[in-house]
Amino acid sequence: MVNKNDILTLDDNKDYCVADTFKLDGNDYVFLFDVNEPTNVLYTKMNDDELVVVDDPEELKKFLDKLSENI
Amino acid sequence: MDELERARLATENAIKQVDEKMDDLTTSAVANISTIGSRFRPLRRRSLRGIFSRETIYEMMDEFDRRREDRRIRRNERQADIEREKIFELQQKVDLIKQKMETSNPIMRETYRKQVENIENAINNRKEDLNDFERKIVDARRTRETMDEVMRHDVEIEEDRKRRERESVMGALANADRRLEERRNTENNGMNNIPGLSINDSNANNNQVNSNPDLNDPNYLKMIAARGEGLGQYRQRYKILKRNDKRYRLHQIATGTITALGVAGMMWAIEKMNPGFFSINSTLSQDMQSLVETGKNIVERVMSDPSFANVCQILKEGSGVFGFGTVVSAIYGGRFVRTNRARVANQYEIENMEEENYLNIKDDTERIARGMGK
């Protein structure tokens, strides 16, 4: 599990900072931004050592909902 | 893996294969260097590869070969000149002896005749040697010309290969750009086709927008997920290569690396509650001022209504202008204010400020945090 403010180097050779992370419905969700391009953000969930982009509408709705609570 | 990613990977693989092939050629070329001429000190493969580029090594190899042939030509020419001189001297000797024969008695004439015969045999041998040297000169010159021709041909082949490779890479990139553009156009068209979600919706300009975007619409949410700055959002999976020891420090955020709009909005909010603190009109550049204005709008709206519906509305409208990621970053700017209040104050170098001002800023930032709903 990653922690907030952690910096991860992903396999696109970019450094990302964990802006937020939380557990929801048994999944670990991670919201990241590119350290060098802050407008490049990723909405992902952990799958072993992989980060999978969330694109399912229902799942994304819950993700945004949770993010909003944490603001 | 989508087509865009496949195209990029195919391009990278093609370039990698070319590089590997070049490495193989370099390895075999370097192995031959040590066999060339005693004039050049044999170099170990590892040291040579560490010093020179592939292209330089090839040029060195070609130069070694050319110089070898040039030396061969010069050596044989020298030998041929020596033989010609010797032949000339011997011929002169023969002529002298023949002159003597004319005025000699029969016994001496016979002796001179044998001398002439021996010398003429020596002349013939030297003439054969001269022919050998001249043949070697011709061969070396022909080899030299062939080398030049091969080099010219190699250069043409290399240039043709580079041209084809360049065209292939440019073609792949153009294809990738075209797909990216198509996808963006599809998203924009898709968003404009959804009722209430058009960024050109006149209601948006009148602030009477649909405050309840259809979050159940899969197209809307999917486009939100897919849209983002850069190509990062077009991949579906990312492997974590490394978890760095350091954590992202807040002062980096304040300098604008994460939330340009968020920080600008925060600065505006602090300036509003503590006028003169940032001397906003005199010290900020024009770009920063417009950022501050935009950040102000976002922060104000989030502070007035931090509900999820309003946040989504802000995302929708802001995304039409600044990009989804930027707007989200602006909203998150407020989050960092809430969680790191003291450090936010410190990073603006207010250590020398009077305590009263410092407390005002502290109160202001807490007020901002409360306004954000927390």
Side-chain angles (χ1 to χ4, degrees), chain B residues 46-316:
Chain B
R46 185 190 298 262
S47 60
L48 186 64
R49 290 189 74 180
I51 295 172
F52 300 111
S53 66
R54 279 193 294 271
E55 290 74 18
T56 304
I57 291 173
Y58 289 145
E59 289 171 5
M60 287 170 65
M61 290 288 297
D62 290 342
E63 185 61 21
F64 291 165
D65 290 342
R66 282 196 293 271
R67 289 185 187 183
R68 180 185 59 203
E69 292 308 311
D70 287 344
R71 285 196 307 277
R72 188 181 295 174
I73 292 171
R74 285 196 298 274
R75 186 170 58 243
N76 289 319
E77 283 177 344
R78 276 197 305 274
Q79 292 295 330
D81 288 341
I82 291 171
E83 293 301 318
R84 289 191 195 98
E85 281 178 18
K86 281 290 184 187
I87 290 170
F88 179 74
E89 287 172 6
L90 290 173
Q91 192 62 52
Q92 280 188 322
K93 198 176 278 187
V94 164
D95 293 341
L96 190 62
I97 294 174
K98 281 182 176 176
Q99 284 178 2
K100 287 182 182 177
M101 280 174 68
E102 290 173 359
T103 57
S104 303
N105 58 46
I107 296 173
M108 286 307 295
R109 205 178 292 139
E110 181 60 22
T111 304
Y112 287 145
R113 188 191 63 77
K114 285 181 181 173
Q115 282 182 354
V116 165
E117 187 178 323
N118 291 336
I119 294 172
E120 284 179 344
N121 285 339
I123 289 173
N124 288 336
N125 290 337
R126 285 200 179 265
K127 280 184 178 175
E128 283 179 10
D129 291 343
L130 177 60
N131 288 339
D132 281 342
F133 288 129
E134 286 176 344
R135 250 194 318 274
K136 285 176 184 175
I137 290 169
V138 169
D139 287 344
R141 285 194 176 136
R142 194 174 295 135
T143 303
R144 187 71 168 77
E145 285 170 6
T146 304
M147 282 180 181
D148 289 344
E149 190 178 325
V150 167
M151 189 176 71
R152 277 193 299 272
H153 184 59
D154 285 348
V155 166
E156 287 173 6
I157 289 178
E158 179 64 15
E159 286 177 354
D160 185 59
R161 183 192 68 79
K162 282 182 180 173
R163 179 186 56 78
R164 281 185 279 109
E165 193 176 296
R166 193 166 46 245
E167 286 173 0
S168 172
V169 169
M170 296 305 292
L173 285 175
N175 195 34
D177 288 343
R178 180 181 58 78
R179 288 177 184 276
L180 179 61
E181 188 60 32
E182 283 172 1
R183 187 175 298 199
R184 282 181 176 161
N185 289 337
T186 302
E187 290 170 1
N188 287 337
N189 292 335
M191 285 191 76
N192 287 336
N193 288 335
I194 295 176
L197 294 182
S198 168
I199 59 173
N200 296 319
D201 192 332
S202 58
N203 285 336
N205 295 329
N206 296 330
N207 288 326
Q208 292 177 359
V209 296
N210 178 9
S211 59
N212 294 307
D214 188 358
L215 299 176
N216 292 318
D217 189 301
N219 287 333
Y220 174 66
L221 292 175
K222 209 160 196 173
M223 277 183 283
I224 285 185
R227 184 171 181 161
E229 306 297 330
L231 293 180
Q233 287 283 18
Y234 293 91
R235 285 183 56 172
Q236 291 301 308
R237 288 177 177 271
Y238 293 83
K239 276 195 187 307
I240 299 175
L241 297 182
K242 185 180 169 187
R243 295 168 198 243
N244 296 296
D245 291 332
K246 55 184 177 180
R247 292 161 72 82
Y248 206 76
R249 293 169 296 175
L250 187 63
H251 73 272
Q252 289 172 291
I253 297 170
T255 57
T257 55
I258 174 175
T259 56
L261 291 182
V263 170
M266 181 177 64
M267 288 171 66
W268 172 86
I270 292 176
E271 176 71 16
K272 184 183 176 187
M273 295 171 194
N274 192 14
F277 177 65
F278 290 117
S279 301
I280 197 167
N281 291 321
S282 61
T283 59
L284 294 183
S285 67
Q286 199 61 35
D287 288 341
M288 192 61 178
Q289 284 186 0
S290 77
L291 275 179
V292 168
E293 285 300 305
T294 309
K296 167 194 79 173
N297 291 331
I298 291 175
V299 171
E300 270 187 320
R301 289 177 66 177
V302 173
M303 284 168 64
S304 65
D305 182 8
S307 68
F308 178 49
N310 192 37
V311 166
C312 281
Q313 183 59 38
I314 294 171
L315 286 172
K316 181 198 78 174

Side-chain angles (χ1 to χ4, degrees), chain A residues 22-29 58-59 62:
Chain A
F22 51 86
K23 233 177 178 39
L24 191 64
D25 296 338
N27 290 318
D28 295 321
Y29 290 92
E58 286 301 318
E59 197 174 4
K62 292 179 187 174

Side-chain angles (χ1 to χ4, degrees), chain A residues 2 4-7 9 11 33 38-41 43 49-51 53 60-61 67 69-71, chain B residues 216 221 229 233 235-239 241-244 247-248 257-258 324 326 331-332 338 374:
Chain A
V2 297
K4 287 179 199 173
N5 292 339
D6 276 355
I7 297 180
T9 304
D11 63 350
F33 65 91
T39 54
N40 185 15
V41 296
Y43 299 88
D49 252 357
E50 267 191 341
L51 293 166
V53 173
L60 188 59
K61 185 176 168 184
L67 281 183
E69 284 177 19
N70 290 344
I71 290 179
Chain B
N216 292 318
L221 292 175
E229 306 297 330
Q233 287 283 18
R235 285 183 56 172
Q236 291 301 308
R237 288 177 177 271
Y238 293 83
K239 276 195 187 307
L241 297 182
K242 185 180 169 187
R243 295 168 198 243
N244 296 296
R247 292 161 72 82
Y248 206 76
T257 55
I258 174 175
F324 177 63
T326 301
I331 293 173
Y332 263 71
R338 175 180 67 82
K374 286 291 178 180

Side-chain angles (χ1 to χ4, degrees), chain B residues 250 266 270 277-278 337 340-351 353 357-358 361-362 365:
Chain B
L250 187 63
M266 181 177 64
I270 292 176
F277 177 65
F278 290 117
V337 170
N340 298 279
R341 287 190 292 273
R343 282 193 283 165
V344 165
N346 285 339
Q347 72 194 341
Y348 291 106
E349 297 178 359
I350 57 169
E351 293 169 355
M353 287 189 64
N357 280 340
Y358 175 78
I361 290 169
K362 202 161 170 298
T365 52

